[in-house]
Amino acid sequence: VMNDIISTMFNRKFMEELFKPQDLYSKKALRTVYDRLAHASIMRLNQASMDKLYDLMTMAFKYQVLLCPRPRDVLLVTFNHLDAIKDFISDSPGILNQVDETFRRLIETYNPLSDGEFQLIRQTLLIFFQDMHIRVSIFLKDKVQNSNGRFVLPISGPVPWGTEVPGLIRIFNHKGVEVKRAEFSTAGNYVTPQREGSFELYGDRVLKLGTNMYSVTRPVETHMSGSSKNLASQAKENIAPNPLAKEELNFLARLLGGLDIQKPAGDSGFRLNLFTTDEEEEHAAQTRPEELSYKVINIEATQEPARRAELSRILGELDVAEPRPGSAGKGEDLLALMDGL
Amino acid sequence: SVSPQAAWCELPSRVLLVLTSQRGVQMYDADGSTMVFWHALDVPELPAAHSVFARGIAAAGGRFVCVGTSFGAVLVFDIPPKGTNVTLSEVLEQHRDPITDMAAEQGQAPDGAGDLVTADDSGTLCLWSSGEEFALLGKIPGSGCTCSSVALWNGIVAAGYGNGQIRLWEAGSGRIRAQLSAHARWIYAIDLAPLTGKLLSGAEDSFVHVWKLSRDPDTDDIEVQHCHAECVTDTQVCGARFCDPAGDTFAVTGYDLSEILCYGPA
């Protein structure tokens, strides 16, 4: 199962598509791609378990992005993820190679970005996660999340690499010579960091964010009551479906579905239940607050000429602003790519 | 995509509400009822990977509204006393990195100190004198750390950086006069109260600090005193502004916070 999911995720064509500069996916689109990934092996999940898994992933990711000491650390977090993934498939050289390829591509694309550019990326991600406060029991237990669903932001510990421990005021005269030093104190209790994490293919990342949360086995629960106050407004945003988005998703799904997926024949598959019993899972499905349902789009991952015609028709109906020099519309690029497959 | 920014631009004849976004710039009447003007950003020749947006707003010289862009250019708009006949008067091209913030002189500028400061992602600061043609008076090179927020008062540039440092620069000479290890995370907001010289800083470390700036009359050295620290528990502070020109009250906003927190004397 691990091999199937990981090799699907790191499929070269899929990665190429992901590395293209583009806007963030909508929440619906992201959930749909995630569903497809989660079903890339013989493993199956019911709606309730799928929802729970997605909630967990969302909140864990939000936590990691939010707590990055420096904006650039989102890249270190990514590298931590990849290091852990490589560990899972360390005895499959083919898949390991795919992951290393992606690793190299990340290094090539992102290492040179400035702090300002990383902060822009981080802000974009944080806006996506705004107002999500699902409580995750492993986070509650470890005291990284409060009972109101908000994450704990510690005001102690090492400062980010490149930052000084707060407290010093230095005054310089008109010649640039330091003439005075003063200190101020606050509630914070910070210390100097020991070293910077490595941005190479191999190395000590130093940062613990993004390492395996489950290296110690614990029960996992998510709680949604009380966290859905602001989601009603969010749900309204996503009501009008973007037809072009659906066609793009079909394309992505085709890329993901391009590998041989073993359909479980009779009892040879297995179903993952994230709840303690089947009854609990069923109950969760029925009692999930309306605002938190993900309204997954159904995707058919088969090639149909009708789909391409549909895409052309949709594009034809869209108002195209005056063409910018040197860049074809996004839909045209997609069509060209589909022609090539 | 970049969050939109909003700022009041106070000119002698009118107050405009200016908004920036990925598309460009929009200007509204003070009550937000009428759009006075909009400007779509020209997309210059850039590798496709770079996003285009407007960021950084300031009213300058009692006549202009300046807006920064992600390609480093500063757009200068000439605002008529009333009506919608706003024109793009100049494009200032001294920055090579995306503009982060800009600020107009809030007090009395000493001779040669200029009345506008612009900041960018690399930490470079440019000092300008506004007019029919803006003049670049000085450039303070960055040292690789983003200057995220900036204020200008009595010829002192107060700059907040992504590494949590606040630096005070002499606008006229371009020399550094004070360095504060103020915050443990990215500074998002810097504000100045012109009547008292109080400085407000807010950052992702959950802290808001109030400082007092003054000048030693003999040495002309800048003096900085730390007045107050406020910890907004478990909140990354994204916005902080004084609510009055003396700096007795201030308001704070944060990520995932749907409220505006107001702080004042007990």
Side-chain angles (χ1 to χ4, degrees), chain B residues 82 144 243:
Chain B
K82 57 184 179 186
C243 300

Side-chain angles (χ1 to χ4, degrees), chain B residues 39-122:
Chain B
H39 174 91
L41 286 177
D42 292 323
V43 185
E45 291 304 308
L46 271 182
H50 291 251
S51 55
V52 173
F53 54 85
R55 185 170 60 186
I57 306 167
R63 180 179 155 193
F64 304 98
V65 165
C66 301
V67 177
T69 64
S70 52
F71 33 98
V74 175
L75 309 174
V76 180
F77 296 97
D78 194 339
I79 315 290
K82 57 184 179 186
T84 59
N85 190 21
V86 174
T87 52
L88 176 62
S89 126
E90 221 182 330
V91 178
L92 310 174
E93 285 169 324
Q94 284 291 334
H95 289 275
R96 279 200 295 262
D97 295 277
I99 303 293
T100 47
D101 197 16
M102 58 178 69
E105 170 62 66
Q106 285 178 261
Q108 294 292 329
D111 291 331
D115 62 341
L116 179 75
V117 62
T118 53
D120 72 27
D121 255 4
S122 72

Side-chain angles (χ1 to χ4, degrees), chain A residues 1-12 14-15 18 33-45 50 53 57 82 85 88-89 92 95-96 98-99 102 255-257 259-262 270 272:
Chain A
V1 169
M2 281 295 210
N3 284 11
D4 282 344
I5 293 179
I6 294 171
S7 69
T8 301
M9 213 187 319
F10 289 87
N11 165 352
R12 163 167 281 177
F14 183 57
M15 276 301 150
L18 286 185
V33 173
Y34 190 78
D35 274 6
R36 201 74 181 85
L37 269 173
H39 287 100
S41 69
I42 57 169
M43 182 180 74
R44 288 292 170 271
L45 292 100
M50 195 62 231
L53 184 64
M57 185 280 292
L82 289 181
I85 287 170
F88 293 143
I89 42 106
S92 308
I95 309 174
L96 192 54
Q98 278 178 271
V99 180
T102 302
L255 289 180
L256 283 175
L259 296 172
D260 279 324
I261 293 172
Q262 296 125 58
F270 77 93
L272 182 67

Side-chain angles (χ1 to χ4, degrees), chain A residues 26-76:
Chain A
S26 69
K27 294 193 161 89
K28 247 192 278 191
L30 183 67
R31 171 59 196 263
T32 309
V33 173
Y34 190 78
D35 274 6
R36 201 74 181 85
L37 269 173
H39 287 100
S41 69
I42 57 169
M43 182 180 74
R44 288 292 170 271
L45 292 100
N46 284 348
Q47 179 75 354
S49 282
M50 195 62 231
D51 285 346
K52 182 169 172 174
L53 184 64
Y54 189 74
D55 285 346
L56 253 170
M57 185 280 292
T58 305
M59 290 310 289
F61 188 60
K62 178 175 181 175
Y63 172 68
Q64 290 167 21
V65 174
L66 187 65
L67 262 83
C68 274
R70 304 172 294 180
R72 181 174 301 277
D73 290 334
V74 299
L75 195 50
L76 278 184

Side-chain angles (χ1 to χ4, degrees), chain A residues 115-127:
Chain A
D115 292 336
E117 285 170 306
F118 271 113
Q119 184 66 316
L120 209 50
I121 290 171
R122 185 170 165 272
Q123 281 169 347
T124 307
L125 292 172
L126 286 176
I127 288 170

